[in-house]
Amino acid sequence: MTIVGMRLVDHEPDAIDLRTTPVHLGLGSRAKPVQGFAWDPEVLQAYSAAVAADGAEGRLVTIFDGDGPGDHWERHPAGDELVICLSGSVTVTRDVDGVLGRVVLGPGEAAVNPAGTWHAVDMAGPASILSITAGLATDHRPRTEARPTEHAGTSGPRTP
């Protein structure tokens, strides 16, 4: 399927770089690389439409490299998100009923962000994370406040 330069690939014979080509895990234990993926509203909408039949069971697997604080809060109403630190140090901050909680991760450590929980990820120095996200109906909020509010932001599978 090709939409806005993005397409789900049934079989990829070569190595997949999860930094540039996320993989969608869908119904029937299917794993499909998402070629042409970008953190662009039009592509995110196209991706969401292409995988809509998987509903809440679909997951997006990707690697992020970064250095510094995250610029947004997000939540995934459709399911839990697994964040795995691959290198460096990462702090996952969650807002649970107005109370901020932090989990610091080192290489090989993981945290689960429960469905519907607002969270943000900060990287202390250069770091990499692997995320496995239920992207359906994901909400985002700018990180201009200490905590997110319950007002919905832009939707799409952007993560972590």
Side-chain angles (χ1 to χ4, degrees):
M1 176 180 287
T2 301
I3 301 174
V4 190
M6 181 222 61
R7 68 186 185 106
L8 298 176
V9 179
D10 285 324
H11 301 286
E12 175 59 58
D14 298 320
I16 301 164
D17 183 347
L18 291 173
R19 289 169 175 85
T20 58
T21 305
V23 172
H24 174 77
L25 303 178
L27 296 178
S29 299
R30 301 293 305 205
K32 295 185 177 190
V34 186
Q35 292 183 343
F37 188 85
W39 299 110
D40 168 90
E42 190 173 290
V43 175
L44 292 173
Q45 185 176 21
Y47 167 76
S48 294
V51 301
D54 291 337
E57 299 306 313
R59 296 290 183 270
L60 185 67
V61 180
T62 191
I63 291 176
F64 293 93
D65 298 313
D67 182 357
D71 64 354
H72 66 279
W73 290 96
E74 67 178 25
R75 66 179 172 179
H76 313 287
D80 297 343
E81 174 185 55
L82 180 64
V83 176
I84 305 157
C85 179
L86 300 176
S87 65
S89 178
V90 175
T91 301
V92 178
T93 302
R94 298 185 195 109
D95 183 346
V96 179
D97 298 326
V99 177
L100 294 181
R102 290 180 177 79
V103 178
V104 178
L105 305 176
E109 295 179 322
V112 175
N113 292 318
T117 301
W118 284 105
H119 59 278
V121 176
D122 299 313
M123 299 178 173
S128 293
I129 61 170
L130 171 73
S131 69
I132 303 170
T133 305
L136 185 67
T138 292
D139 292 320
H140 296 99
R141 300 284 299 155
R143 202 155 172 201
T144 56
E145 304 168 3
R147 292 193 331 250
T149 64
E150 285 302 313
H151 299 96
T154 56
S155 291
R158 183 172 175 181
T159 181

